[in-house]
């Protein structure tokens, strides 16, 4: 089982990368429990791919290192995505990576469990998870973990961050285990496309309760 962390941190060391690592440290062993070997964790540092990401939009195709990163994301059983907050939203580098990925393969994240996380200087930006990251990954057809994690500067070393990390990472692990069939011991059925949905009228008819028979 493979868990991929996508970090858009720019500095070294980076609080964004640190948050991703702490989430992965909980999710990786939980996803494979009770087996002793944790999930294989790969980390993609977007700052190392910034030039290639920009060239993808002008050249129309990714260079080898970026193509390899796209392949890692597509092959992952689960993703942890972490961005610093710039101007009350995700960073441009973070968004550009996923824009370029969707141009290359629009279904790369379809049905894939994704844990969203962000770092910032103040707790006032915590809603970035709900107004920016969650809609983005819902649009990309990912299965977004219910609990997101935001870490402001004052959260590091403070009470509460560990609990949020534990809850979100455990939710991601459960989705990874369920979607790979670990709960039943067999793979789950796959749809050919997310466009294969049951029409609303058919669902409504299935829920309809017949009324009483008319009196003779």
């Amino acid at each position: 089982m493979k868990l991929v962390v996508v970090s858009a941190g720019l500095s070294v060391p980076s609080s964004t990368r640190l948050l991703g690592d702490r989430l992965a440290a909980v999710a990786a062993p939980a996803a494979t429990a009770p087996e002793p070997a944790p999930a294989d964790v790969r980390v993609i540092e977007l700052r190392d791919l910034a030039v290639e990401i920009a060239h993808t939009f002008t050249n129309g195709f990714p260079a080898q290192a970026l193509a390899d990163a796209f392949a890692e994301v597509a092959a992952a059983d689960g993703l942890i995505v972490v961005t610093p907050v710039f101007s009350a939203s995700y960073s441009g580098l973070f968004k550009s990576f996923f824009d370029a990925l969707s141009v290359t393969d629009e279904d790369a994240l379809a049905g894939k469990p994704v844990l969203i996380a962000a770092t910032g200087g103040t707790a006032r930006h915590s809603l970035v998870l709900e107004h920016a990251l969650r809609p983005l990954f819902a649009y990309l057809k990912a299965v977004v973990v219910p609990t997101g994690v935001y870490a402001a500067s004052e959260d590091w070393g403070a009470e509460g961050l560990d609990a949020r990390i534990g809850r979100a990472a455990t939710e991601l692990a459960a989705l990874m285990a369920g979607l790979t069939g670990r709960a039943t011991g067999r793979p789950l059925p796959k749809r050919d496309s997310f466009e294969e949905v049951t029409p609303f009228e058919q669902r409504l008819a299935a829920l309809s309760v017949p009324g009483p028979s008319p009196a003779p």
Side-chain angles (χ1 to χ4, degrees):
M1 188 177 294
K2 180 189 291 187
L3 174 62
V4 172
V5 179
V6 178
S7 170
L10 299 179
S11 61
V12 181
S14 163
S15 62
T16 301
R17 169 65 186 271
L18 176 60
L19 181 57
D21 288 344
R22 290 183 62 177
L23 288 163
V26 178
T32 57
E35 295 180 8
D40 180 26
V41 178
R42 308 291 178 88
V43 178
I44 298 172
E45 290 275 13
L46 297 188
R47 69 170 179 268
D48 298 332
L49 300 170
V51 174
E52 293 191 11
I53 291 171
H55 285 171
T56 298
F57 292 104
T58 56
N59 297 339
F61 60 89
Q64 188 59 54
L66 185 57
D68 291 343
F70 289 164
E72 291 275 13
V73 169
D77 296 297
L79 289 179
I80 295 171
V81 298
V82 196
T83 178
V85 174
F86 291 157
S87 301
S89 188
Y90 37 63
S91 73
L93 179 61
F94 181 87
K95 179 62 159 56
S96 294
F97 175 80
F98 288 103
D99 282 346
L101 172 64
S102 64
V103 168
T104 304
D105 179 1
E106 63 180 6
D107 290 324
L109 299 185
K112 197 178 299 295
V114 175
L115 192 167
I116 55 174
T119 58
T122 170
R124 293 195 298 272
H125 291 308
S126 60
L127 285 177
V128 68
L129 297 172
E130 305 304 325
H131 75 69
L133 272 77
R134 193 174 298 277
L136 170 64
F137 288 96
Y139 177 80
L140 294 174
K141 308 174 189 175
V143 180
V144 186
V145 170
T147 301
V149 179
Y150 178 83
S153 298
E154 63 265 27
D155 287 327
W156 297 102
E159 208 174 315
L161 180 58
D162 285 345
R164 297 200 303 276
I165 287 173
R167 178 176 177 177
T170 301
E171 290 173 353
L172 174 65
L175 282 172
M176 290 172 62
L179 292 177
T180 55
R182 291 181 56 80
T184 60
R186 59 181 183 274
L188 299 180
K190 294 183 179 180
R191 287 179 171 175
D192 293 333
S193 168
F194 267 65
E195 302 303 321
E196 296 177 13
V197 296
T198 304
F200 176 73
E201 294 81 2
Q202 185 175 332
R203 289 181 179 272
L204 188 61
L207 294 174
S208 298
V209 178
S213 302

